[in-house]
Amino acid sequence: MNGKTVVVGLSGGVDSSVTAYLLQKEGYNVIGMFMRNWHDEEVTLSNDCPWLDDSNDALMVAETLGIPFQTIDLSKEYKERIVDYMFSEYAVGRTPNPDVLCNREIKFDVFLKAAVELGADYVATGHYCRKIIHENGEHGLLAGLDNNKNQSYFLCQLSQEQLQKAIFPIGNYQKSEVRELAKEAGIHISDKKDSQGLCFVGKIRLPQFLQQQLKSKQGKVLEIQDNLQMYTDYKTFYDYDNLQKSIDNLQSLTEPFIYSDKIGLEVATHQGAHFYTIGQRKGLQVGGRPEPSFVIGIDTVNNLVYTGQTDEHPGLNRIALKILNEDVHYILKSKTLKIGEELRIQARIRYRQELQDAWLIQKEEAMYVLFDKLQKGITPGQFCAWYVGDELIGSGTIFS
C-alpha cells in the first residue's frame, strides 16, 4: 500500500470505473465520488445517459470494488460557472465549449477542493491522456495513446496547480484494453456505450436548453455568394511561400468578414441567430439550394444568419485565428512566448480534429495562430489548443 488517498470522479462509465480499479491495484486508498451537476430533466434526453442511471451504475461499481462512495451536488456551481457562461456566450453569437470549462472550473476546482477536504492527495478521472513531470518540475500533459480517444484537448485549460493533483491512469491504454480490464475486475458495465454531451450531465436538447434564457425571435437566413471581392482581397494577405508576408498581415487575416442584408439572398427564416454556430449544417432548414448550406456568419444584433453553399465556401475557410492576450493560457509556463516570438506547433480548433501544422505568433496586441492550410469553421468562443510533439503546451479562446 502506498498510503496515498485518491478520489475518483466515478461517472457511471467504464473509463472512470477502470480508473478506480487500476488505482486500487496500485495500492491507493480509493474513494469514488459521483458529481451531480444537473437538475433540469426537461431538456435532458432521458434515453441517453440520464444522471440517475449513471449514479446507480457508479454506486454498483464502488460496491464491486469495495471502495467508499458518495454523491456530491455541484449543480449550483455548475450553473454559475458553466450554464450561465454558455447562455452569455450564445447570446452574443459565440459558441462556448462547456466540457473544457467543466474540467477547469468543476472537476479540477470545486470537485478537487471537496476531495482535498476529504483528505485526498489526488483526484483521478477517466481521461485518455498522460501526465509527465519535466526536469524543471513542471507538470506536462501528453496525448493519450489511443488516437481515437485522445482527450487532452478537454484539459487544455488546466493549470500547474491542478495538474499537480491530477492522475490519469488509463492514458496508456487503448479503449479495447480498458473494456477488458473492466471485465477482469467484474465490473458490470464493461460493455456500456460511451456517454456523450455535457460532462456528468449527458445529452441535452440544445434548442430547448437555450430557450430557457434566450427568447425566440424570427429573422432571416441570408445566403452569401462565394465570389465576393472581400474573399479575393483576403487571399492577397497570405502567401504559402512567404511566411513573413502572412505574419505582417495577421490583423487582416483574422478580421471577421462583414456581411449585411443588402448582399444576401433570403433563403429561409430562423427563430433566433443566437441558436446557431459557425460551420453548422444540420437544423438550418434551408431547402431548394443546389448544394448543402453551412452557417458562415451570425449577427445577433440584427438577428441575421448568413449561409454559404458547400463547406468549401471562402467565408467558412480561414488561414489564421486571433486570441486576446488575456485569454491565452499556458500549461507549460516555460514555453511562454515573448512579444515578437514565434513557435512551430501543431494545433486543433475542436475535439477530434487532426492536429494541424501551424505557427504560434505573439504580437503586442494579441496571440495569433497561423496555419499551413485553410481551416474550416474557425469559431469564436471555442478553444484552440496547441502541441509540440504529443505534448499539450497551451490553449486560448478564439476571438476571431
Side-chain angles (χ1 to χ4, degrees), residues 8 35 106 149 162 166 168 190 197 363 380:
V8 177
M35 287 177 270
I106 304 298
K149 292 290 295 181
Q162 290 171 317
F168 308 107
S190 60
K363 296 276 195 175

Side-chain angles (χ1 to χ4, degrees), residues 50-115:
W51 79 267
L52 186 57
D53 289 348
D54 286 340
S55 177
N56 290 334
D57 282 337
L59 173 60
M60 291 179 67
V61 168
E63 291 176 345
T64 298
L65 298 179
I67 61 174
F69 176 81
Q70 61 180 274
T71 296
I72 182 171
D73 192 330
L74 301 180
S75 55
K76 178 178 180 291
E77 292 85 352
Y78 191 85
K79 180 185 182 303
E80 292 172 350
R81 300 194 188 192
I82 311 299
V83 175
D84 289 349
Y85 169 81
M86 288 176 66
F87 284 138
S88 64
E89 287 288 273
Y90 275 109
V92 294
R94 291 161 59 87
T95 304
N97 190 313
D99 287 320
V100 172
L101 268 296
C102 181
N103 284 313
R104 187 185 78 187
E105 299 291 331
I106 304 298
K107 289 182 184 176
F108 293 95
D109 188 1
V110 183
F111 181 79
L112 171 60
K113 290 173 182 175

Side-chain angles (χ1 to χ4, degrees), residues 272-327:
H274 40 253
F275 297 144
Y276 295 85
T277 184
I278 301 296
Q280 180 177 338
R281 176 182 176 183
K282 295 181 179 179
L284 283 179
Q285 297 180 332
V286 175
R289 310 310 298 153
E291 301 288 345
S293 296
F294 294 81
V295 176
I296 63 171
I298 300 167
D299 181 350
T300 56
V301 175
N302 297 300
N303 198 34
L304 299 170
V305 174
Y306 298 101
T307 64
Q309 291 186 41
T310 83
D311 63 355
E312 299 299 326
H313 192 286
L316 192 61
N317 292 271
R318 309 295 295 259
I319 198 69
L321 62 83
K322 178 179 181 178
I323 301 170
L324 300 181
N325 287 329
E326 59 264 31
D327 292 329

Side-chain angles (χ1 to χ4, degrees), residues 213-225:
Q213 294 289 331
L214 307 178
K215 297 186 181 304
S216 297
K217 181 182 179 183
Q218 190 174 83
K220 298 177 182 179
V221 177
L222 301 172
E223 182 177 282
I224 303 297
Q225 298 301 306

Side-chain angles (χ1 to χ4, degrees), residues 154-224:
F154 290 131
L155 304 173
C156 67
Q157 286 280 294
L158 295 193
S159 67
Q160 283 292 305
E161 293 73 23
Q162 290 171 317
L163 276 176
Q164 184 179 3
K165 292 286 189 179
I167 305 178
F168 308 107
I170 65 172
N172 290 309
Y173 292 91
Q174 301 293 310
K175 179 72 181 195
S176 58
E177 295 175 316
V178 169
R179 291 198 183 279
E180 287 301 316
L181 285 167
K183 292 177 182 176
E184 171 189 305
I187 294 172
H188 72 291
I189 55 170
S190 60
D191 293 322
K192 184 177 180 178
K193 68 176 182 178
D194 291 343
S195 62
Q196 296 178 324
L198 303 183
C199 58
F200 279 75
V201 173
K203 279 191 174 182
I204 62 169
R205 297 180 178 90
L206 188 59
Q208 289 91 327
F209 169 75
L210 293 177
Q211 286 168 12
Q212 291 180 333
Q213 294 289 331
L214 307 178
K215 297 186 181 304
S216 297
K217 181 182 179 183
Q218 190 174 83
K220 298 177 182 179
V221 177
L222 301 172
E223 182 177 282
I224 303 297

